[in-house]
Amino acid sequence: MVTVALSTPAETKPKPIAPVFPFLDLQAQFQSIRDEVMDAIATTMQSQRFIFGPEVQNLESEIAKYVGCKFAIACASGSDALLLALMALGVGPGDEVITTPFTFVATAGSIARLGAIPVFVDIDPVTYNLDPREVAKALTLNTRAMIPVHLYGLSAEMKPLLEIANAEDIDIIEDAAQALGASWQGQKAGDIGRVGCFSFFPSKNLGGAGDGGIMTTNDADLADRLRLLRVHGSRSKYHCEILGVNSRLDALQAAILRVKLPHLETWTERRRANAERYRALFSEMKLNDHVILPTEPAGTRHVYNQFVIRVLERDELREHLMQSGIPTEVYYPEPLHRQPAFSHLGGVFPEAERASREVLALPIYPELTEAQQTRVVSTIAEFYTRN
Ligand SMILES: *Cc1c(COP(=O)(O)O)cnc(C)c1O
């Protein structure tokens, strides 16, 4: 057999140092539940039942119970969850949907894909979530819905958003892709608006072995419409009631996710404990003048899908960490209104732009060790001692 080596162009920049540990260690988590996962896969393979079936149904009721709402409808991805939610609410051409430009592309992409108009409003610089005052200013007669994103695992400030939604009769779709298990005033993310949208992408707090998503709601008619839309709008085979799409969650994914779900609270508590440890370390190493740490406003439960710090000299610090083998990420380096697919919408959002230059995500996964966290923070301390 002939193998073709892919040649890489000559490097101009210094080669990045291999990280001393991964940004997200999916291996560590898998090894801790390996036998259960392999059993679930074997059972599903043995059944040869791949489309819907008991695994998907059971996952739906378990997620509904976990989120504390009446219905959960699984689908193929978090992006599809947003798309299906908008479709079920009848959002279409000409409708305006208010959202944040400081998010993953799918949030606004789902709106634009339906011919509706994403109306960006700026974020609150402390929570990185939709600024309710800006939402109020962006309302027009065409506003049909809003999509607050619970970014990094922290719920948006929902009270003013709910007040606006009620007064203006518009729907709230929660983009809770990063926030399974998060809560606001005792209510779980996904149980606050009309629909909650979650993702099972491997890097999310409950990650599958590939793509997957789920929608939550307390509205029986809406749940029925969502269930219909994810299978071509057909209740019975080859009879199409409304125009839908093919967006099912595989039984294999559901089986794997059902193994993981009972561990989610433990993993979330570890993420939260790691966040507390970071706080202690940053304070011990006297970095609080340089580094802004994430906030957890009273009445919220942050689930730290990401632990994001904020620094003025972000790119220099990131380079220093990389050269020391410490992995970091930037969510998100370019706000959506600056990207070619959305730039025609116009607008200036200074807080989103400033955040995109200053945020830096540190490793926070449940299996992260104290030694690793100490290494992260002492490498940051080293940067500030030198500069
Ligand atoms: C991950 C994510 C999505 C999309 O989820 P997929 O399952 O990857 O399609 C949407 N919104 C936000 C905020 C996300 O983080």
Side-chain angles (χ1 to χ4, degrees), residues 120-141:
F120 292 128
V121 307
D122 213 350
I123 55 167
D124 174 323
V126 176
T127 61
Y128 305 107
N129 286 325
L130 272 188
D131 182 339
R133 286 160 306 186
E134 297 297 318
V135 172
K137 286 191 233 162
L139 294 166
T140 76
L141 290 174

Side-chain angles (χ1 to χ4, degrees), residues 62-74:
E62 287 157 12
I63 291 281
K65 185 162 173 239
Y66 180 76
V67 169
C69 67
K70 289 194 186 130
F71 310 99
I73 303 95

Side-chain angles (χ1 to χ4, degrees), residues 43-285:
T43 306
T44 309
M45 289 309 293
Q46 201 56 47
S47 78
Q48 287 290 298
R49 180 131 195 215
F50 299 127
I51 302 297
F52 291 135
E55 294 289 358
V56 174
Q57 248 174 21
N58 289 334
L59 178 73
E60 289 178 338
S61 30
E62 287 157 12
I63 291 281
K65 185 162 173 239
Y66 180 76
V67 169
C69 67
K70 289 194 186 130
F71 310 99
I73 303 95
C75 63
S77 70
S79 304
D80 273 5
L82 291 162
L83 190 75
L84 291 163
L86 288 163
M87 285 172 80
L89 292 169
V91 172
D95 291 336
E96 294 177 5
V97 181
I98 295 173
T99 194
T100 160
F102 193 58
T103 179
F104 181 62
V105 59
T107 316
S110 61
I111 302 165
R113 282 261 307 268
L114 292 172
I117 303 157
V119 175
F120 292 128
V121 307
D122 213 350
I123 55 167
D124 174 323
V126 176
T127 61
Y128 305 107
N129 286 325
L130 272 188
D131 182 339
R133 286 160 306 186
E134 297 297 318
V135 172
K137 286 191 233 162
L139 294 166
T140 76
L141 290 174
N142 295 325
T143 309
R144 275 294 320 277
M146 67 171 105
I147 309 185
V149 178
H150 305 313
L151 200 68
Y152 308 141
L154 172 67
S155 170
E157 175 47 39
M158 295 303 291
K159 186 162 181 267
L161 298 183
L162 288 165
E163 282 168 4
I164 293 170
N166 289 335
E168 305 290 324
D169 194 24
I170 61 178
D171 294 313
I172 293 182
I173 297 169
E174 299 174 64
D175 182 340
Q178 303 179 5
L180 184 58
S183 66
W184 171 83
Q185 306 297 341
Q187 248 176 309
K188 284 255 178 81
D191 185 37
I192 309 169
R194 275 203 81 193
V195 192
C197 298
F198 296 92
S199 163
F200 299 127
F201 188 78
S203 66
K204 305 296 156 97
N205 285 17
L206 181 66
D211 282 306
I214 203 161
M215 302 159 285
T216 51
T217 185
N218 286 303
D219 178 330
D221 291 336
L222 198 56
D224 185 58
R225 219 149 44 238
L226 290 167
R227 227 170 253 127
L228 208 53
L229 285 166
R230 71 172 169 181
V231 277
H232 307 286
S234 299
R235 209 176 299 274
S236 57
K237 261 189 184 174
Y238 315 124
H239 176 75
C240 177
E241 288 178 38
I242 51 174
L243 198 57
V245 296
N246 175 3
S247 181
R248 292 177 286 241
L249 181 74
D250 291 334
L252 263 172
Q253 290 297 349
I256 295 167
L257 290 162
R258 289 190 65 216
V259 168
K260 297 181 87 171
L261 182 58
H263 299 280
L264 181 61
E265 273 305 295
T266 309
W267 292 334
T268 302
E269 281 308 316
R270 285 199 203 137
R271 285 176 183 272
R272 290 175 51 76
N274 290 347
E276 284 318 302
R277 197 145 65 190
Y278 269 137
R279 288 182 202 286
L281 287 165
F282 276 104
S283 148
E284 259 168 51
M285 299 194 203

